[in-house]
Amino acid sequence: EVQLVESGGGSVKPGRSLRLSCAASGFTFDDYAMHWVRQAPGKGLEWVSGISWNSGSIGYADSVKGRFTISRDNAKNSLSLQMNSLRAEDTALYYCAKDGDSSGYYPENWGQGTLVTVSP
Amino acid sequence: QSALTQPASVSGSPGQSITISCTGTSSDVGSYNLVSWYQQHPGKAPKLMIYEVSKRPSGVSNRFSGSKSGNTASLTISGLQAEDEAVYYCCSYAGGSTLHVVFGGGTMLTVL
């Protein structure tokens, strides 16, 4: 069974940094691309970033480009999101998602999310 | 890149069929057969219902079907049931030189 467990969320002030992690199990981690998707309170889903199986292809939403960095450690079955220069509009539930492919075409399995709150 | 366009809400009675549209551009929906659909109940994580335009994951009811024409994809739910009431999101691969995915704004389905 695919399991994705996010951690690292919390409450931070604008301009500060936070690092999210996702521990993956139940599948061959380095066979699949991975994504971060967020959902602001009461709002829809927003794709944040994705990374291919070998980190050879990486992408970011325009809203986070230059501030967030996605990475993965295939040896540790883990995915990370380094978030710098946080803004109030980054407040959201952040989901880690396993892709259905190695290249990064669609989130297939989702974790339960970790909440990030950016407030003065 | 802009979000895909979905109607804010749709409704139907039990047993009826409904269709949710998802309009993108020639850079996303129109270029790739990589449209997916997700169901999200309140307080829950999204669940994949359709991938690659019309494929159903194991365990998803065959009442759910997907299609695409040009820059618009559609999700059809037949034989509506009370438990289908949820928010539905479409998603499309939009990458080219970089990995990129875009979601629709979501459609609230109400089963009357």
Side-chain angles (χ1 to χ4, degrees):
Chain A
E1 178 193 3
V2 172
Q3 288 203 347
L4 301 165
V5 180
E6 303 92 338
S7 61
S11 183
V12 295
K13 296 186 186 318
R16 305 298 287 269
S17 299
L18 209 56
R19 187 178 182 86
L20 305 185
S21 297
C22 172
S25 61
F27 64 101
T28 304
F29 185 71
D30 55 11
D31 276 351
Y32 294 92
M34 298 291 294
H35 303 270
W36 288 100
V37 179
R38 69 185 181 185
Q39 187 167 35
K43 302 296 185 183
L45 301 175
E46 179 188 16
W47 179 80
V48 173
S49 182
I51 185 168
S52 63
W53 69 279
N54 63 351
S55 304
S57 182
I58 288 175
Y60 300 95
D62 288 346
S63 57
V64 307
K65 199 172 295 182
R67 300 187 299 122
F68 290 11
T69 302
I70 192 172
S71 61
R72 64 187 296 160
D73 185 338
N74 287 346
K76 296 182 178 179
N77 289 357
S78 69
L79 177 72
S80 297
L81 185 69
Q82 177 66 41
M83 305 187 295
N84 298 334
S85 303
L86 283 162
R87 305 168 180 168
E89 53 264 37
D90 295 319
T91 294
L93 184 65
Y94 284 73
Y95 291 104
C96 165
K98 166 190 165 293
D99 197 85
D101 189 87
S102 62
S103 299
Y105 297 141
Y106 61 92
E108 180 180 32
N109 305 89
W110 300 63
Q112 290 304 304
T114 186
L115 183 63
V116 172
T117 303
V118 184
S119 176
Chain B
Q1 294 89 347
S2 301
L4 307 176
T5 300
Q6 299 180 234
S9 62
V10 298
S11 62
S13 299
Q16 288 186 332
S17 294
I18 63 95
T19 296
I20 299 172
S21 62
C22 170
T23 302
T25 69
S26 58
S27 297
D28 38 61
V29 175
S31 284
Y32 307 97
N33 288 323
L34 292 168
V35 175
S36 50
W37 289 89
Y38 302 86
Q39 176 192 66
Q40 187 178 35
H41 288 111
K44 300 294 187 182
K47 175 185 176 183
L48 178 68
M49 305 302 285
I50 296 287
Y51 67 100
E52 294 178 5
V53 176
S54 60
K55 297 179 180 178
R56 273 189 313 275
S58 174
V60 171
S61 171
N62 60 8
R63 298 185 298 106
F64 291 83
S65 61
S67 62
K68 190 188 87 167
S69 178
N71 295 339
T72 299
S74 299
L75 172 71
T76 298
I77 308 174
S78 59
L80 270 179
Q81 300 179 0
E83 58 262 35
D84 298 333
E85 185 163 293
V87 179
Y88 291 84
Y89 296 91
C90 63
C91 175
S92 177
Y93 179 72
S97 56
T98 62
L99 191 161
H100 195 89
V101 164
V102 61
F103 281 93
T107 297
M108 177 68 213
L109 168 62
T110 300
V111 180
L112 302 170

